[in-house]
Amino acid sequence: MIGLVAITGAGKGAAQELANAWPGETILYEGPATQSLSAAFAQCSQVVAFLAAGAVIRIVAPQIKDKRTDPAIVCVDEARRFAVSLLGGHLGGANALAERVADVLGARPIITTASDAVGFTGLDQLGWPIEGDIAGVGRAMLDGESVDFHSEHIWPISALPANVVVTTELTSGVNQVLVTDRLVDPRPGLALLRPPSLVIGVGASRGVSADEVLELIDTVLADAQLSVHSVRHLATIDVKADEVGLIEAAKRRGWALLTYPASALAEVAVPNPSQRVMKEVGTASVAEASALIGGGTLLAGKSRSARDVSMATAAVARHAPRGRLAIIGLGPGARDLLTPRAKEELRRASVVVGLDQYVEQIEDLLRPGTQVFATSLGNEEERARSAILEAKKGYAVALIGSGDAGVYGMASPALEDFDGTFEVVGVPGITAATAAASLLGAPMGHDHCSISLSDLHTPWSVIEGRIRAAATGDFVVSFYNPRSKGRDWQLDSALAILAEHRPASTPVGLVRAVSRSSESVTLTTLAELISIGTAAVDMFTLVLVGSSSSRLVAGRMVTPRGYGWKS
Ligand code: SAH
């Protein structure tokens, strides 16, 4: 929960605004500052204090313990000009919270963590546990000193700054980051990043306790010289999905508990199969098979806990990383129509692939060190191919497109031959049709469809058939790719077909370059557009033709829903 600590009238007003904006997420603390803030600090994972920074520091100082467990604190001044990330910037999430608070209150977020201020990933921002000489190596990174980054595998992490050099060999010097799930002796100058590489397969008898399960896991990991911080999740057979001890063990460590049916586990080849287990549950292995399923390498075969009444088993497998392909829609152009999620995904990527003009549009948002593959118009297949290739190598790739990347965009060429070997994440964007519609009024209030007039990859006969269907179905139609120098008759032909089925007075909107500096909106009618011709329409235009019930209302194009209460 987010604790909101407010003392003054202005503070209480602002706190209420946050509470309204984030239903179910906040608790209000009122009353004397010392008591409220101390209580919020003890009870909440994040705190927004409407108090002077100095007052907050004095009050919470005795309670501050560890940046991994202390709550995040954001301070907001009386005039709500600034949202200051005061404590727990990265791990606690105060930097992100400051941005959220600033968004709601119209304040400016103040973030002083060095790695955020210069725009690159701090070691603790990768979302992985870190150990070792975090302070020393982190500082070297920020100071621009050369830092060696050694990883046996390519992980889908965000870009690293230029002074961080990926090496294949790790020497014994300083300024080193080692990505490993193995236990390593600490030494000055060495920071350890723990990748989520280990899957623990577990089995248990009924009534096993969480303590027994966790003790066994810790012993197995220690014996195999592996770090508990690299555990990705626990896995077991589905009939154990309700085993309280397993559920509780996973919960205590913040791990997910994945379960598989016996039939799936039975197909996994394991070193220590058991006929007894086979008879009982229908697979010769639970722990080893659930650790290995999906293609892991076994690092520790099945071990058993040695208690009399209950029993747990555990095995550990290492799984290679999978790359990540984020397919991101950038919206129609304006920065404030780019979603926060799209921004976050862009900053998460280490490789960005897209049309050169779209890359330019968001280049300032990318982390320093991001590798950019920008190609010119018409190289869709090449873009899709390089995005897939990099994701297959294991990188975090962002494939970008305008509007929504799935609408006449890059998502389908990228996924047409998808083989499941990397993760795929889609980030929706505001597509041209809805962006244009909002400028026109409410033209899509009833059934509508989109048709691309580009016959480069679709035969005109097919397109024409769809236009006829839209015409007889009386759909509002958004025409994408309406007209270019080389394709100058298709729009006229489409309008003529629609005119056979709807009134001459049907409103038509021509919306060009939505949300860009050259934005223009023209409202006309079907008959007028056909008579003056479509020469003004180009590839930056979206043509929106109303249905037979669309009409002009005080300069706005409206397609009625047909609600009875109007009449
Ligand atoms: N994926 C994009 C569409 C790509 S097809 C989206 O979801 O918006 C390209 C066509 O989209 C253009 O020919 C034009 O018709 C339309 N379009 C894209 N951006 C536009 C904008 N900012 N203003 C008007 N039309 C746009």
Side-chain angles (χ1 to χ4, degrees):
M1 287 299 259
I2 304 175
L4 306 175
V5 181
I7 313 301
T8 64
K12 286 178 186 167
Q16 193 55 53
E17 280 180 47
L18 294 185
N20 295 344
W22 305 331
E25 275 188 79
T26 62
I27 311 176
L28 283 169
Y29 290 84
E30 293 178 0
T34 308
Q35 280 91 322
S36 331
L37 184 54
S38 299
F41 193 97
Q43 292 157 7
C44 299
S45 57
Q46 302 196 311
V47 175
V48 182
F50 296 87
L51 291 166
V56 173
I57 292 169
R58 282 180 206 290
I59 295 169
V60 301
Q63 280 173 278
I64 296 175
K65 288 200 184 72
D66 185 323
K67 68 175 177 175
R68 282 169 299 193
T69 50
D70 290 333
I73 301 186
V74 168
C75 258
V76 179
D77 64 309
E78 186 75 2
R80 53 152 83 183
R81 286 167 306 171
F82 308 112
V84 185
S85 166
L86 198 64
L87 191 73
H90 289 155
L91 289 183
N95 294 350
L97 182 63
E99 306 262 5
R100 285 184 78 194
V101 170
D103 252 5
V104 176
L105 300 181
R108 237 173 84 191
I110 306 292
I111 288 155
T112 57
T113 341
S115 46
D116 273 6
V118 298
F120 78 68
T121 315
L123 278 176
D124 51 359
Q125 268 191 342
L126 294 172
W128 289 350
I130 38 175
E131 292 168 45
D133 190 359
I134 307 162
V137 179
R139 192 167 316 111
M141 256 183 161
L142 292 180
D143 289 347
E145 287 173 37
S146 174
V147 172
D148 287 346
F149 189 94
H150 177 75
S151 175
E152 273 168 41
H153 298 281
I154 294 170
W155 285 92
I157 55 174
S158 50
L160 298 163
N163 58 316
V164 177
V165 183
V166 177
T167 58
T168 46
E169 294 285 314
L170 195 68
T171 58
S172 53
V174 291
N175 293 354
Q176 310 229 301
V177 179
L178 177 60
V179 178
T180 183
D181 52 23
R182 282 175 293 111
L183 296 181
V184 177
D185 289 333
R187 61 175 166 80
L190 177 69
L192 300 173
L193 269 174
R194 297 302 189 186
S197 53
L198 304 177
V199 173
I200 317 261
V202 285
S205 62
R206 275 278 165 242
V208 74
S209 71
D211 286 336
E212 180 172 355
V213 174
L214 290 175
E215 258 168 46
L216 175 66
I217 290 175
D218 289 342
T219 309
V220 169
L221 286 171
D223 289 350
Q225 290 286 299
L226 294 168
S227 168
V228 70
H229 297 302
S230 273
V231 174
R232 184 184 295 185
H233 58 248
L234 302 188
T236 189
I237 187 165
D238 56 5
V239 295
K240 296 286 173 194
D242 59 353
E243 187 58 48
V244 177
L246 292 183
I247 296 171
E248 172 65 22
K251 193 170 147 209
R252 272 195 219 161
R253 296 281 171 91
W255 297 328
L257 175 64
L258 271 55
T259 60
Y260 300 96
S263 56
L265 296 176
E267 284 182 13
V268 181
V270 295
N272 304 301
S274 148
Q275 280 318 306
R276 195 183 50 77
V277 175
M278 179 75 191
K279 275 209 198 88
E280 272 171 30
V281 291
T283 166
S285 164
V286 172
E288 289 180 353
S290 357
L292 282 168
I293 198 166
T297 315
L298 203 64
L299 301 183
K302 180 172 77 173
S303 292
R304 289 168 67 114
S305 58
R307 293 195 185 177
D308 308 333
V309 279
S310 56
M311 187 270 295
T313 56
V316 185
R318 179 183 284 149
H319 287 249
R322 280 154 67 86
R324 189 168 193 280
L325 177 67
I327 305 174
I328 306 175
L330 302 180
R335 177 56 58 86
D336 61 351
L337 295 180
L338 175 76
T339 66
R341 188 178 299 184
K343 269 189 212 169
E344 202 172 293
E345 282 293 343
L346 288 168
R347 291 180 65 73
R348 196 179 158 153
S350 68
V351 178
V352 169
V353 182
L355 191 65
D356 39 19
Q357 69 198 64
Y358 302 143
V359 170
E360 263 168 43
Q361 194 178 314
I362 48 85
E363 218 154 19
D364 62 299
L365 294 173
L366 303 180
R367 285 193 193 282
T370 305
Q371 210 188 337
V372 174
F373 290 69
T375 49
S376 54
L377 206 64
N379 291 309
E380 281 78 19
E381 279 170 36
E382 186 192 329
R383 281 199 290 283
R385 242 197 318 272
S386 33
I388 288 169
L389 203 68
E390 297 304 306
K392 273 183 187 281
K393 285 184 202 162
Y395 290 110
V397 181
L399 177 61
I400 60 172
S402 82
D404 185 287
V407 177
Y408 308 119
M410 291 302 298
S412 48
L415 294 184
E416 258 163 56
D417 303 314
F418 181 52
D419 61 2
T421 55
F422 49 88
E423 307 295 328
V424 176
V425 180
V427 181
I430 298 172
T431 188
T434 50
S438 66
L439 294 175
L440 291 168
M444 306 211 294
H446 217 299
D447 297 335
H448 53 271
C449 66
S450 299
I451 297 178
S452 166
L453 291 183
S454 169
D455 53 2
L456 292 179
H457 303 287
T458 310
W460 177 253
S461 58
V462 172
I463 300 173
E464 189 181 317
R466 289 181 185 157
I467 299 167
R468 287 195 186 282
T472 51
D474 198 24
F475 285 91
V476 172
V477 188
S478 300
F479 287 113
Y480 284 74
N481 302 309
R483 194 178 197 276
S484 68
K485 286 204 186 82
R487 290 188 302 102
D488 57 2
W489 55 266
Q490 286 84 347
L491 179 60
D492 297 327
S493 183
L495 295 174
I497 296 169
L498 292 179
E500 290 168 20
H501 296 270
R502 52 192 79 174
S505 60
T506 302
V508 177
L510 309 177
V511 188
R512 189 174 185 282
V514 181
S515 83
R516 295 170 188 267
S517 56
S518 54
E519 174 182 286
S520 75
V521 180
T522 309
L523 258 175
T524 174
T525 64
L526 203 47
E528 194 181 20
L529 186 57
I530 290 173
S531 85
I532 61 171
T534 56
V537 174
D538 62 10
M539 281 297 277
F540 298 106
T541 312
L542 187 110
V543 178
L544 207 151
V545 183
S547 70
S548 64
S549 63
S550 305
R551 53 179 202 268
L552 280 185
V553 181
R556 300 273 157 169
M557 183 171 167
V558 179
T559 306
R561 296 290 315 269
Y563 288 131
W565 59 269
K566 285 282 181 190
S567 55

